[in-house]
Amino acid sequence: MLNSQINQSHSLHNLAPIRKAFVHGDTTNHSSSNAYSPANLRQHASTKKSNATRARSTSTAGNIKAISIPFLTKETTVKCVITVQPTISSALAGVSVGGVVDGVSDLLGRSFLLELVSNDLDSKGNQKTVKAYARYEALDFNINVYTYKCDFDVPEDFGEIGAVLVENEYSKKMFFKNIVLNNGVTFTCESWVHSKYDNPEKRIFFTDKSYLPSETPTALKSLREKDMESLRGNGEGERKSFERIYDYDVYNDLGAPDLSLDLARPVLGGEAHPYPRRCRTGRKMSSKDPLTETRTLLPFYVPADEDFSEIKSANFGAKALYSVLHAIVPILDSIVTDKDKGFPLFTSIDLLYNEGVNVPPPDSGIITALPRLVKGATDAANTVIKFETPETIDRDTFSWFRDEEFCRQMLAGLNPCSIQLVTEWPLMSKLDPEIYGPAESAITKEIVEEEIKGFMTLEEALAEKKLFMLDYHDLLLPYVNKTRDLKGTSLYGSRTLMFLTPAGTLRPLAIELTRPPSDGKPQWKHVYTPAWDATGAWLWKLAKAHVLAHDSGYHQLVSHWLRTHCVTEPYIIATNRQLSQMHPIRRLLLPHFRYTMQINSLARLLLINAGGIIESTFSPGKYCMQICSDAYDQLWRFDHEALPADLISRGMAVEDPTAPHGIKLTIEDYPFANDGLLIYDAIKQWATSYVNHYYPQANLVESDEELQAWWNEVRTVGHGDKKDEPWWPQLKTQDDLIEIASTIMWVTSGHHSAVNFGQYDFAGYFPNRPTISRTKMPNEDPTDEEWQSFIKRPEDALLKCFPSQIQATQVMSVLDVLSSHSPEEEYIGGNTEAAWEAEPAIKAAFEEFRERLNELEAIIDSRNTDPNLKNRSGAGLVPYQLLKPYSEKGVTGRGVPNSISI
C-alpha cells in the first residue's frame, strides 16, 4: 500500500513556492507515466477510470517494462520540489539558465522529466513508475538555488518509493542538490545531471536509505546495477566534460614531448616504474612518443561529479590553486630576467614580507581569488604581490638557525612522519656497493660517543631507544650523479642522526652526505657534526640546509603527494565503479573523497608535470616523479598507512594493550603522534559503530559482492603494481572492514592535514625549509678559489645554496594557497550526511563522533600550554595545532577537513 504519509492534506512547510516568476507556463503540470493514465482529471484520493488497454512504458531504466494498471485505481497527489544549484556564472548573470532551447522548456513547464520508481513490483513482476514534468519556479537569492516543482499522481497501491529517474530537458548539465517529496521521501543528489541532448539515458537517484546488495528491494536491483554500469565506461574514447565515467590509466601525461624532447618523461605505472593509477581521460597520444598522452592548456577531464569549479566561489581550493598556478606563477616568471639569481643578502629575503614584489596587474578575478597574496594596485602599471610573514618567523626570527628547532620540527613540523628509530649498528646501505661504493656509513661509534659522552655508550643508546634517524641515503643516492648533470642543482644521499635527551627533546649528533662514484672519482662521503669553531659551524649549517632540501622534497613527493593525493585516487575510482549510491560504505567514504580528483588533475596539469613547479623548484629536478615512483615501490604499504601501524613500522611506537591507544610511543612528547592518535581513535570508533550497524554478522561482509569487488579492484587494478604483495589486508570480517575504512579515512583527513596546512607557516620563510640545494658542499673537492671564497664570506655560500629568487617566490605563492582553508571547507565531524540523518542509529553514532572531536580541541589547547611538553610549548614556539579539528577560513595552521580538498 502507499505510504500512509502520502495524502492530499500534507504540505511541505519549507517548500512554499517562491513568488518570483521566471516564465509563464503550465502551472498544473502533474501527470503519471504510461503505467498510470495522465491525471488531467485529478481528484485527491479519488477513484478514476483508465483505459483497459495496456500501454508499454518507454522508460529506459532496466529491462523490466512498466505497464498500465487497468480499470480502477485510487491516486494521491504527491508534491515534489527539486533544488538545483546555479553555476557561478549563471548566478551572477541573473536567473536565466540557458539559451533558446532552455527558454522553450521553461515556457512549456517542462524543465525536467521525473519518474518515481516503487520498491515493489506489480503482480506480474513489472516495475511500477509514475512520471511528471517539473516546472521552473524561481531563483532564491537568499540560498542561491533554483527551485522547480511538480505534482505526481501516485496510485494508492504504488508502495514505497525507492528511486527517481531524471531527464534534463535543458541543453546544459544541471547540478541537482536534492529532490524532496511531501511524503517524507528525500533523494539527496549533489550531482550533475547531463542534458538529454548529450546523453539520452536518464539519471538514477535513490532515496537516502542505505541497502546492502542482498537487501536491495527487488524492483531496484536492476537500477542499482545499471547505475554503476553507467559510471564504468568501456575504456575507449576521449572523455567529455558532461560525463561521469570513472576508469583507470597510468600516469602517462606528465611529459610533453611534442613541445620538446627535453620535456619527455617516463610513464609511471607498470613494471619499470610502479605507481598507483589515475583517472583515464582518453586524450590522443603524442606524435613523438606513442606511450605519452597529449596535454591541454585547459584543466584535464575529471568525472562531472568531481568538478566543483562551476558551483564553488573563487576562494574554493581548486580554483584558488588554478589561479596561482595559471596566473601568479607566470607573472613572477616574467619579471625575473635572471632565473639563476639568488638573494644577495638575508635582508633581501625580508623585503618579500615587508615590501613585496611589483608585478604587472593581473586579471581582477585573480585579486578576488587571492586577496591574501595579491594586495592590489600601487599605481596604474603595478600590483604588489606581498607575502605574509609566516608565524614561525613572526614568533622567533632566528628559530630556523637553531639545532633544537631543526630536530623539533621532525616531531612537530611539516614532515613528522619520516623520523625513525635506529635499531641496528653500523648503519648500512642496501644499494649495490659495486655501483654506489662502500655500504657502511661513515658515522662511526666514536663519532656518536664523542657527541653523547657523559650520557651513555652507543650500545646503551641503542638498547634504550635513544637514537633516531632521518634516512634519505638509499632513496636519493641513485639520482645524485644525474641530478648534478642538471643546471643549477646538487644532491647527496643523506643520513641525519639524533639523540633523545633526558628532557624528551632531540639533539642532532651528525649528518652524513654521500656522493656515489662518478667520472672515475671514488665515492665521497663526509660526516658533519655540531662544531665550536667558525669553519665547522658554517659547514654544519650548510649540511643542515642540504638535509632540509632533501626532507622538503621527500615531504612534498612522498609524505604529501604520494601518501595522500596519489594513493587515494584509486580508492575514489573503485568506490564509484563498484559501490552503489545506496551502499552504506560508499556513503561512509564519500565525504572523504570530495574535491580530491579535481585537485589531483590540477597537479598533473601544472604542479608535477615536466617543467612544472615541483621539477623547477625541488632538488631532484626532472627526476622528482621517478623518485616518487621508487618510494611507492620500495616503501608504500597499505597496512602501514593507519597511524598506529605507521608509528610501529618506524619504531616510533610499540604495541601495548595497557596504553591509551593500544600503543606506547618511543618518544612520549611527539605532537604529531599524540594528537593524531586522538583523531585516529575517534575515526575508528565512528567506523566501528557504522560498520557493525550495517554488518551485524561477519558473513555479511564476505557475501557482499559489491564490497568484495571494490576491495579487489583497489588492490588488483588501482594499485595493480602491488597486487601480489602479501601484506594487503583480507576483507572477511567486520574488523577487516573497520581497519580498511579507518585507514582510508585517516589518510584523507588527519594525515593530509598534518602534512599540508602547515606548509606556509613552516616553509613560507624558505631558509627554514629550502626546497633545493643549488650548490655542493664547500669542502667537496673544492678549488683553492672556491674554498677561499667560502672562508671569506660563508654567508654567501649559504645564500647561493638556497633557492633562487624565482624559485623561492613561486614556491611561496603556491604554499600560501595550499595552506589555506576555503570558506566552504568541510571539516571532519562537521556536516551530517543526509543518509546518516535518515538512520537514527547512525545519526546517534555520528553525534558521538562529533562530540569526541569537539573534546579534542580543548585537549590540544591544554597540551600546547603544558611547559613539560617541550616539543610543543616554549619561548617563541608555534603551538602544534595542525590536528585541531576545526578552523576559520584562510591560513591558520589548524583544521582537519574531511577530504584532500587542496
Side-chain angles (χ1 to χ4, degrees):
M1 294 296 290
L2 184 65
N3 189 311
S4 60
Q5 290 177 294
I6 303 179
N7 63 69
Q8 68 274 19
S9 63
H10 282 198
S11 63
L12 208 57
H13 68 275
N14 60 341
L15 297 178
I18 301 164
R19 301 299 183 187
K20 187 175 190 306
F22 177 56
V23 291
H24 297 289
D26 175 14
T27 57
T28 56
N29 201 37
H30 53 83
S31 64
S32 61
S33 73
N34 291 336
Y36 299 99
S37 301
N40 47 4
L41 298 176
R42 174 173 56 91
Q43 302 173 29
H44 291 299
S46 63
T47 302
K48 298 192 296 184
K49 293 185 178 180
S50 64
N51 294 328
T53 307
R54 298 178 186 270
R56 292 292 177 180
S57 169
T58 58
S59 169
T60 58
N63 297 319
I64 303 174
K65 295 185 181 295
I67 64 169
S68 64
I69 303 297
F71 309 118
L72 300 179
T73 60
K74 290 184 178 180
E75 294 182 347
T76 300
T77 298
V78 176
K79 295 184 178 295
C80 171
V81 175
I82 304 103
T83 304
V84 173
Q85 183 166 339
T87 61
I88 295 295
S89 57
S90 65
L92 292 174
V95 297
S96 178
V97 179
V100 175
V101 172
D102 301 338
V104 171
S105 295
D106 285 323
L107 263 172
L108 296 175
R110 295 188 169 194
S111 302
F112 307 112
L113 174 61
L114 276 66
E115 185 173 2
L116 299 180
V117 182
S118 172
N119 280 349
D120 305 324
L121 299 174
D122 67 11
S123 59
K124 296 185 180 296
N126 299 305
Q127 263 182 352
K128 296 190 287 188
T129 68
V130 291
K131 294 181 182 179
Y133 276 104
R135 65 190 179 278
Y136 177 79
E137 280 288 318
L139 171 62
D140 187 332
F141 288 97
N142 293 322
I143 56 175
N144 192 32
V145 294
Y146 292 124
T147 304
Y148 297 78
K149 294 187 176 181
C150 64
D151 295 337
F152 291 97
D153 290 315
V154 181
E156 196 174 58
D157 62 351
F158 191 74
E160 187 177 349
I161 296 167
V164 62
L165 313 182
V166 180
E167 181 178 85
N168 176 8
E169 307 297 312
Y170 288 118
S171 61
K172 299 178 180 179
K173 64 183 181 182
M174 304 291 281
F175 192 83
F176 273 49
K177 296 288 292 178
N178 55 41
I179 300 170
V180 180
L181 308 182
N182 72 336
N183 65 339
V185 174
T186 298
F187 302 90
T188 301
C189 306
E190 296 293 337
S191 177
W192 290 98
V193 176
H194 57 260
S195 166
K196 71 175 184 180
Y197 301 104
D198 289 326
N199 180 356
E201 292 290 321
K202 295 177 182 177
R203 277 299 309 277
I204 304 168
F205 293 108
F206 300 101
T207 65
D208 290 341
K209 183 174 175 58
S210 298
Y211 295 98
L212 298 181
S214 61
E215 300 167 342
T216 310
T218 306
L220 302 184
K221 288 182 177 178
S222 63
L223 291 178
R224 182 171 184 144
E225 181 57 37
K226 181 182 177 66
D227 184 51
M228 285 192 293
E229 285 286 347
S230 72
L231 300 178
R232 293 173 186 156
N234 57 11
E236 299 176 1
E238 184 172 354
R239 298 274 64 89
K240 306 296 191 298
S241 62
F242 65 84
E243 292 178 324
R244 298 166 55 249
I245 303 297
Y246 294 79
D247 205 352
Y248 298 95
D249 207 343
V250 292
Y251 278 72
N252 61 355
D253 63 347
L254 302 182
D258 288 349
L259 292 179
S260 168
L261 291 180
D262 289 338
L263 296 176
R265 296 292 181 269
V267 173
L268 302 185
E271 188 174 352
H273 299 287
Y275 214 58
R277 297 305 188 258
R278 63 167 175 92
C279 184
R280 180 183 176 278
T281 65
R283 299 188 305 274
K284 68 179 183 178
M285 306 308 285
S286 161
S287 60
K288 299 287 181 67
D289 179 5
L291 297 179
T292 297
E293 193 172 76
T294 54
R295 296 175 58 79
T296 64
L297 296 177
L298 298 175
F300 296 157
Y301 164 84
V302 293
D305 285 348
E306 309 295 338
D307 183 358
F308 296 85
S309 59
E310 294 185 67
I311 59 170
K312 293 291 186 179
S313 69
N315 300 114
F316 172 63
K319 296 177 81 167
L321 180 59
Y322 183 75
S323 296
V324 78
L325 293 174
H326 195 66
I328 299 302
V329 167
I331 287 174
L332 289 168
D333 190 61
S334 69
I335 65 169
V336 178
T337 54
D338 183 358
K339 300 297 188 285
D340 298 322
K341 185 178 181 180
F343 290 88
L345 301 166
F346 277 94
T347 52
S348 303
I349 300 173
D350 296 338
L351 292 177
L352 296 174
Y353 312 98
N354 299 332
E355 297 182 6
V357 181
N358 285 332
V359 299
D363 180 88
S364 60
I366 301 300
I367 298 176
T368 302
L370 305 169
R372 178 180 142 97
L373 189 60
V374 184
K375 300 302 182 184
T378 54
D379 53 50
N382 288 294
T383 295
V384 173
I385 293 178
K386 185 178 177 183
F387 297 95
E388 299 285 338
T389 302
E391 190 174 1
T392 49
I393 301 304
D394 193 43
R395 285 175 175 254
D396 184 349
T397 305
F398 303 106
S399 61
W400 69 277
F401 220 59
R402 296 199 311 270
D403 286 353
E404 71 273 15
E405 182 65 7
F406 171 73
C407 291
R408 187 191 75 86
Q409 288 186 19
M410 297 180 193
L411 301 173
L414 191 53
N415 187 32
C417 40
S418 288
I419 186 173
Q420 58 184 285
L421 178 70
V422 176
T423 57
E424 297 178 348
W425 199 268
L427 304 175
M428 299 290 291
S429 170
K430 295 182 174 62
L431 298 174
D432 185 350
E434 293 295 320
I435 299 173
Y436 299 103
E440 186 170 331
S441 169
I443 303 176
T444 62
K445 173 181 178 178
E446 290 73 23
I447 290 173
V448 172
E449 291 189 340
E450 176 66 23
E451 293 298 318
I452 63 172
K453 60 186 176 185
F455 283 106
M456 58 188 67
T457 65
L458 171 68
E459 289 76 15
E460 289 170 336
L462 288 170
E464 295 181 29
K465 298 183 178 181
K466 299 295 185 182
L467 294 180
F468 297 85
M469 178 170 57
L470 210 59
D471 186 2
Y472 299 131
H473 184 278
D474 284 10
L475 185 66
L476 297 182
L477 201 64
Y479 291 90
V480 167
N481 288 331
K482 46 190 175 184
T483 295
R484 287 176 167 223
D485 289 338
L486 304 176
K487 182 183 177 183
T489 188
S490 187
L491 192 65
Y492 295 97
S494 69
R495 296 184 180 100
T496 304
L497 194 66
M498 292 155 286
F499 176 73
L500 183 63
T501 70
T505 58
L506 289 172
R507 171 184 163 188
L509 302 181
I511 291 172
E512 178 185 32
L513 300 179
T514 305
R515 181 202 69 200
S518 66
D519 299 329
K521 296 180 181 179
Q523 181 195 69
W524 180 91
K525 63 175 64 171
H526 192 87
V527 177
Y528 303 87
T529 57
W532 305 102
D533 66 284
T535 301
W538 273 102
L539 287 173
W540 171 248
K541 290 178 179 65
L542 279 153
K544 286 199 299 180
H546 279 271
V547 167
L548 287 168
H550 304 165
D551 192 57
S552 292
Y554 186 89
H555 160 261
Q556 206 63 265
L557 296 169
V558 182
S559 302
H560 183 197
W561 166 256
L562 175 66
R563 290 183 63 185
T564 64
H565 290 259
C566 187
V567 302
T568 297
E569 189 149 336
Y571 309 151
I572 301 172
I573 298 171
T575 298
N576 281 277
R577 288 166 56 89
Q578 300 298 342
L579 297 181
S580 164
Q581 284 182 51
M582 61 173 78
H583 199 290
I585 299 303
R586 183 184 191 276
R587 286 171 161 168
L588 173 66
L589 296 178
L590 192 60
H592 297 278
F593 292 159
R594 288 193 186 110
Y595 316 121
T596 303
M597 287 183 71
Q598 187 173 24
I599 291 292
N600 287 2
S601 73
L602 287 178
R604 298 198 331 266
L605 182 69
L606 293 165
L607 271 177
I608 63 173
N609 59 300
I613 292 295
I614 297 297
E615 283 195 2
S616 59
T617 59
F618 285 78
S619 275
K622 65 186 288 186
Y623 302 107
C624 280
M625 296 309 293
Q626 290 183 53
I627 291 175
C628 186
S629 168
D630 289 351
Y632 177 70
D633 183 34
Q634 299 166 23
L635 305 174
W636 187 84
R637 296 176 49 157
F638 182 89
D639 64 328
H640 285 176
E641 291 306 292
L643 181 58
D646 168 46
L647 294 169
I648 291 169
S649 73
R650 292 186 282 118
M652 301 303 291
V654 293
E655 291 188 40
D656 182 353
T658 66
H661 307 285
I663 62 172
K664 179 178 174 58
L665 294 177
T666 311
I667 299 177
E668 291 183 9
D669 182 14
Y670 185 179
F672 162 69
N674 297 132
D675 295 358
L677 287 168
L678 295 175
I679 295 279
Y680 180 80
D681 277 4
I683 288 172
K684 190 168 184 178
Q685 288 176 38
W686 156 234
T688 299
S689 298
Y690 191 98
V691 167
N692 286 334
H693 175 77
Y694 287 105
Y695 296 90
Q697 294 91 35
N699 68 302
L700 291 174
V701 173
E702 200 162 7
S703 64
D704 184 337
E705 61 268 24
E706 286 184 14
L707 190 69
Q708 295 300 325
W710 167 74
W711 186 234
N712 181 66
E713 188 167 289
V714 166
R715 293 181 294 108
T716 65
V717 184
H719 287 277
D721 295 337
K722 286 181 169 282
K723 65 180 184 297
D724 296 323
E725 296 286 357
W727 41 254
W728 282 106
Q730 293 183 317
L731 183 49
K732 293 185 176 181
T733 67
Q734 298 100 319
D735 286 346
D736 296 337
L737 180 53
I738 290 164
E739 192 68 30
I740 290 167
S742 299
T743 298
I744 293 173
M745 294 157 73
W746 158 255
V747 165
T748 56
S749 59
H751 180 110
H752 179 259
S753 296
V755 299
N756 181 74
F757 290 105
Q759 292 194 81
Y760 192 78
D761 280 344
F762 286 105
Y765 184 74
F766 63 85
N768 186 58
R769 285 188 68 80
T771 59
I772 190 170
S773 48
R774 295 192 297 149
T775 58
K776 63 184 178 64
M777 288 293 294
N779 65 321
E780 183 201 333
D781 302 332
T783 64
D784 289 342
E785 183 180 355
E786 288 171 340
W787 183 252
Q788 288 305 315
S789 176
F790 164 67
I791 293 296
K792 186 176 181 179
R793 278 195 58 83
E795 180 180 315
D796 289 352
L798 184 57
L799 287 165
K800 288 176 182 176
C801 186
F802 282 157
S804 67
Q805 292 186 20
I806 185 62
Q807 289 170 331
T809 52
Q810 287 183 340
V811 167
M812 289 162 66
S813 300
V814 173
L815 295 186
D816 188 271
V817 172
L818 292 180
S819 304
S820 186
H821 289 293
S822 161
E824 300 161 281
E825 195 80 87
E826 297 168 19
Y827 294 99
I828 190 168
N831 298 330
T832 306
E833 296 290 303
W836 306 344
E837 287 271 7
E839 187 65 45
I842 297 301
K843 181 181 179 181
F846 182 76
E847 289 298 330
E848 291 177 9
F849 177 49
R850 177 184 284 159
E851 288 174 13
R852 283 194 292 271
L853 292 172
N854 286 331
E855 291 168 2
L856 299 192
E857 294 269 330
I859 293 172
I860 292 172
D861 285 341
S862 174
R863 289 174 173 178
N864 284 329
T865 57
D866 185 343
N868 296 314
L869 301 177
K870 300 183 188 303
N871 291 320
R872 66 191 304 155
S873 176
L877 295 186
V878 176
Y880 189 76
Q881 302 183 103
L882 288 169
L883 290 169
K884 286 188 71 172
Y886 307 114
S887 171
E888 62 273 18
K889 67 180 181 180
V891 178
T892 64
R894 60 183 177 274
V896 181
N898 275 319
S899 65
I900 303 165
S901 57
I902 184 66

